[in-house]
Amino acid sequence: MSSSTGGRPSADASTVRDVARLAGVSPATVSRVIGGTYPVAKATRAKVLKAMRELDYVVNAHARVLGGATNKTVAFVVNDVTGAFYAHIARGVEEQASAEGRLCMLCTTHGDPQRVIAIVETMREQRADAVIVVGGALDDQAYQDRMTHFANALDRAGSRLVLVGRPPLGHGVPATVVEYDNEGGAFAMTMHLLTSGHRRVAYLGAVPRLSTSTERLAGYRRAHETLGVEPDPDLIVPGEFTRSFGYRAAQELLASKKEFSAVFAGTDMVAAGVIHAFREAGVRVPEDVSVAGYDDIPFAMDLYPALTTVAVPLEEMGRDAVRLALHREELAGRQHKVFGTHVVIRDSVRAPGAART
């Protein structure tokens, strides 16, 4: 079977070498124009794009390269879409993206740092307006170097890497950063527990090498140092930011017979598991043990007792992540924003031994 192409090579028949031959450049130069990862002289780029058009080389997402345009998409990259922390940031991202006339594409990583890198690379090739990566960063130099590389590559392609809830990659790296006072929130909560009379405060959810956990532990330790209280390292329990971890960790803490009067859970989800385990064991919250969380996701007030926690402006962070990235030229001096956090006092914390009033 044959088909007429009007004498022009079909898209399937054309290759990078065909484009290079027609444009009078090397195949490497054509690849650079397509990828947008290296600077190419305007005149050379124009010749390559002209050859690509004549050969009908691009029929997929790379067609956007021909006009130097983005694809009106904002990519939202999260660990787990079911987590309330991510879901409420996602709501803010989607609302602002819609208001800006962009589609929002959700990508999940399932906690795999290499998948984050793969998604960022794909979104660069797809020429998304912005790639928003949410959640703590891995303390790994190779990973940070790779993310820095993609931040620069996205910038050259007219896109933007946005980091939400994680620290900047370094001075001069072209990325938008929207974070919150993570350490300050943990410091304030630990101070609240200590000044309420608790001297043995367990911390559950120390995730190794994760910036979010590292900062919260720093706040926990700084509060102890401020008040001259020595924290017991045996009460700092490593684990994930999940309800199931909180449940298991609380059971193990009770079985260990270690002395403690309060638990600071790394997230509200961890706190939910802790409260469940305590209830099953007949441990009353807060009469026997106080419990505090972090994030103030909506269900925190629906727990019994209602959870004392650290509030993070999740939806506002999502909206600003999109707004700052899409308007980065006029907001060039405001590409790193730090939101405040504050303690929300509810019913799950009281002074040790205090009677109900």
Side-chain angles (χ1 to χ4, degrees), residues 175-189:
T176 299
V177 179
V178 178
E179 55 179 335
Y180 54 96
D181 189 5
N182 194 14
E183 180 180 333
F187 172 82
M189 178 57 78

Side-chain angles (χ1 to χ4, degrees), residues 89-124:
I89 295 178
R91 177 182 292 178
V93 168
E94 196 281 328
E95 287 177 354
Q96 189 64 32
S98 179
E100 300 276 1
R102 266 69 171 183
L103 295 175
C104 186
M105 179 182 296
L106 176 65
C107 309
T108 57
T109 66
H110 308 294
D112 182 358
Q114 296 308 311
R115 182 164 169 77
V116 175
I117 290 173
I119 290 172
V120 172
E121 165 67 353
T122 299
M123 291 301 102
R124 181 189 65 80

Side-chain angles (χ1 to χ4, degrees), residues 183-193 219 223 310 342-343:
E183 180 180 333
F187 172 82
M189 178 57 78
T190 309
M191 287 291 288
H192 175 62
L193 294 169
V310 179
H342 64 274
V343 172

Side-chain angles (χ1 to χ4, degrees), residues 25-304:
V25 299
S26 69
T29 298
V30 174
S31 296
R32 289 170 181 170
V33 171
I34 294 173
T37 54
Y38 297 93
V40 177
K42 288 184 178 180
T44 302
R45 175 182 170 84
K47 288 193 298 183
V48 171
L49 296 179
K50 181 175 182 294
M52 290 169 69
R53 283 194 295 269
E54 291 183 8
L55 292 172
D56 195 21
Y57 176 71
V58 181
V59 293
N60 53 27
H62 287 312
R64 294 289 180 180
V65 176
L66 296 177
T70 59
N71 66 5
K72 299 295 183 181
T73 298
V74 170
F76 182 69
V77 185
V78 299
N79 178 21
D80 177 9
V81 70
T82 64
F85 176 88
Y86 300 112
H88 287 277
I89 295 178
R91 177 182 292 178
V93 168
E94 196 281 328
E95 287 177 354
Q96 189 64 32
S98 179
E100 300 276 1
R102 266 69 171 183
L103 295 175
C104 186
M105 179 182 296
L106 176 65
C107 309
T108 57
T109 66
H110 308 294
D112 182 358
Q114 296 308 311
R115 182 164 169 77
V116 175
I117 290 173
I119 290 172
V120 172
E121 165 67 353
T122 299
M123 291 301 102
R124 181 189 65 80
E125 294 173 352
Q126 296 288 328
R127 299 188 65 83
D129 284 288
V131 181
I132 302 173
V133 181
V134 181
L138 186 67
D139 182 15
D140 178 82
Q141 191 58 52
Y143 173 75
Q144 296 297 318
D145 290 346
R146 195 67 174 153
M147 290 296 288
T148 298
H149 165 77
F150 283 124
N152 285 289
L154 285 165
D155 184 65
R156 288 192 295 268
S159 183
R160 188 71 168 183
L161 178 65
V162 187
L163 307 176
V164 177
R166 57 172 61 193
L169 291 168
H171 180 70
V173 178
T176 299
V177 179
V178 178
E179 55 179 335
Y180 54 96
D181 189 5
N182 194 14
E183 180 180 333
F187 172 82
M189 178 57 78
T190 309
M191 287 291 288
H192 175 62
L193 294 169
L194 294 174
T195 56
S196 294
H198 299 282
R199 286 297 178 268
R200 293 187 60 78
V201 179
Y203 181 89
L204 305 187
V207 185
R209 300 170 64 202
L210 184 71
S211 63
T212 305
S213 181
T214 299
E215 291 165 359
R216 292 181 187 181
L217 269 173
Y220 168 89
R221 292 190 172 105
R222 181 159 61 90
H224 280 81
E225 182 180 352
T226 298
L227 295 181
V229 178
E230 186 68 29
D232 184 348
D234 289 338
L235 292 179
I236 299 175
V237 183
E240 301 175 341
F241 285 164
T242 63
R243 189 183 188 281
S244 59
F245 161 72
Y247 179 80
R248 293 192 307 272
Q251 288 181 319
E252 292 169 4
L253 200 58
L254 291 173
S256 73
K257 304 300 182 181
K258 294 174 184 174
E259 182 185 349
F260 64 97
S261 63
V263 169
F264 183 8
T267 69
D268 294 344
M269 294 302 297
V270 174
V274 170
I275 291 173
H276 184 192
F278 283 171
R279 183 177 297 115
E280 284 188 346
V283 176
R284 299 170 301 167
V285 176
E287 292 88 348
D288 300 324
V289 179
S290 290
V291 177
Y294 204 118
D295 292 335
D296 195 27
I297 57 180
F299 97 125
M301 67 178 66
D302 297 326
L303 290 173
Y304 183 78

Side-chain angles (χ1 to χ4, degrees), residues 1-5:
M1 180 180 293
S2 63
S3 62
S4 173
T5 62

